[in-house]
Amino acid sequence: MIEKQNPITILCYIFFVIFITMFSTNPIMLSISFVSAILIYLSLQGVKKTLIRLMYSVIFILIITIFNPLFSRQGMTILFLIGEFAITLEALVYGIIIGLMFSSVMIWFGVLNTLLDSDKISYIFSKYTPKIGTILSVSLGLFPKYISQYRKIDNNLKGLGLYDNVNALSKIKLKFHALSTLVSWSIEGAVTLSDSMSARGYDLKGKRIYLKYSFGILDILFLLFSFAIGICLLVFMGLGVCSFYYYPTFKVLEWDSNIWIYFVTFGFMNIMFLINVWGMIKWQFTVSKI
């Protein structure tokens, strides 16, 4: 499965996908990126978490769609007026596209966070920038711990009955009280963690670093594939292939000789999903033979 790939190949691949998504305003390209991100996230996290992520993405897109026409008065197709504000079709559609782009990027970062745990982040950076690798590794591990601890503190307050029959202002004060308790707990934990890391020799000069990941043939091929296709797509996008504009009115989508870039993008952004699905099928077949 894709989790067994070298972390550097995963990082490079997803960064290329994110760059392609961020530098494109073409609705077809962004739709491909969004669907591909949902598919790989589904194969990694399951249906429930994917539906939650999708719900947040839809809400985010709706918010951007509603607010964009209020700040952008461009566009020729006026739908209706709100006072002196002219709400145009182009501004609404552009809001959808911008929301789709940011949602796709956030989902891809969610995929990256799922595939690269603290050990893999430490492996990527520890050889060349060990301090940055250690900071990132520790930070990624602390955020989930802080969220879990905050919920424990808040649940303890609820268990004591402090939330019973109180108004909204009192609830806000209790939330800040839980947050203050979390800060005190985190400071104490940070001191303990610092002493523990010093005792283990993290701050010693000339220490040797254990790297449990290595580059195999498949990792090299996947990395070369990512660089070749990713750079190719970015170059052609920079040359204006699949460019699209929304103001003053929409550009007409033409199915001409440049249609190849959509198929290449779809294949490139779904190669990780196919690898993961193939690994799952292979695993199930192996288990069935036992």
Side-chain angles (χ1 to χ4, degrees):
M1 292 191 289
I2 195 65
E3 291 93 338
K4 296 182 179 180
Q5 296 280 155
N6 189 284
I8 295 178
T9 63
I10 296 175
L11 182 68
C12 292
Y13 169 79
I14 294 184
F15 270 13
F16 272 118
V17 172
I18 290 174
F19 288 151
I20 292 170
T21 304
M22 291 177 61
F23 296 147
S24 176
T25 56
N26 187 294
I28 298 178
M29 296 285 284
L30 292 176
S31 299
I32 291 173
S33 178
F34 185 78
V35 172
S36 302
I38 289 294
L39 288 176
I40 182 61
Y41 196 84
L42 176 64
S43 67
L44 293 172
Q45 295 285 14
V47 176
K48 183 178 179 180
K49 290 186 177 181
T50 304
L51 289 177
I52 294 174
R53 173 76 68 166
L54 189 60
M55 179 187 68
Y56 283 121
S57 298
V58 171
I59 293 173
F60 181 78
I61 293 172
L62 288 176
I63 292 174
I64 298 297
T65 304
I66 293 171
F67 278 94
N68 185 66
L70 300 178
F71 295 96
S72 175
R73 300 188 181 185
Q74 302 181 64
M76 298 177 60
T77 310
I78 299 176
L79 298 177
F80 53 89
L81 297 174
I82 301 179
E84 297 181 355
F85 290 97
I87 305 301
T88 64
L89 178 62
E90 290 81 5
L92 280 174
V93 175
Y94 189 69
I96 295 174
I97 294 301
I98 294 299
L100 188 65
M101 181 190 70
F102 280 109
S103 297
S104 302
V105 170
M106 286 189 290
I107 296 173
W108 280 113
F109 271 113
V111 172
L112 184 64
N113 187 50
T114 302
L115 292 174
L116 299 184
D117 54 18
S118 58
D119 289 338
K120 293 180 180 179
I121 292 292
S122 179
Y123 160 75
I124 293 173
F125 294 99
S126 59
K127 187 175 181 180
Y128 304 103
T129 55
K131 292 184 178 180
I132 294 178
T134 302
I135 292 172
L136 291 175
S137 177
V138 172
S139 300
L140 289 175
L142 287 179
F143 280 118
K145 187 183 295 184
Y146 286 161
I147 294 173
S148 176
Q149 185 65 21
Y150 176 81
R151 290 174 180 171
K152 290 179 181 179
I153 297 171
D154 196 50
N155 288 334
N156 288 335
L157 295 177
K158 292 178 181 178
L160 292 172
L162 299 180
Y163 278 97
D164 296 341
N165 301 321
V166 295
N167 54 30
L169 182 60
S170 298
K171 287 184 179 180
I172 294 175
K173 289 182 179 179
L174 287 171
K175 294 292 184 182
F176 275 107
H177 177 69
L179 184 61
S180 175
T181 306
L182 176 66
V183 171
S184 301
W185 175 86
S186 63
I187 292 174
E188 181 182 354
V191 173
T192 304
L193 180 63
S194 177
D195 293 339
S196 174
M197 293 179 69
S198 296
R200 297 178 184 181
Y202 275 82
D203 52 355
L204 295 178
K205 294 182 179 180
K207 63 180 182 297
R208 299 180 65 182
I209 301 172
Y210 169 67
L211 303 176
K212 66 178 181 179
Y213 301 100
S214 60
F215 270 101
I217 299 295
L218 294 178
D219 294 314
I220 295 174
L221 292 177
F222 190 73
L223 189 62
L224 292 175
F225 170 81
S226 300
F227 271 92
I229 303 299
I231 293 175
C232 177
L233 289 174
L234 288 172
V235 168
F236 277 99
M237 287 170 60
L239 293 175
V241 178
C242 77
S243 62
F244 197 84
Y245 55 81
Y246 299 85
Y247 301 118
T249 188
F250 303 109
K251 177 183 178 180
V252 179
L253 281 172
E254 299 178 353
W255 299 99
D256 52 15
S257 58
N258 292 326
I259 193 177
W260 63 268
I261 197 169
Y262 302 133
F263 293 102
V264 173
T265 303
F266 183 82
F268 178 65
M269 291 188 175
N270 283 280
I271 187 67
M272 183 181 289
F273 169 71
L274 295 176
I275 292 174
N276 199 45
V277 170
W278 169 250
M280 294 168 62
I281 295 173
K282 188 176 179 181
W283 170 254
Q284 291 297 328
F285 179 74
T286 304
V287 170
S288 65
K289 292 177 63 177
I290 298 176

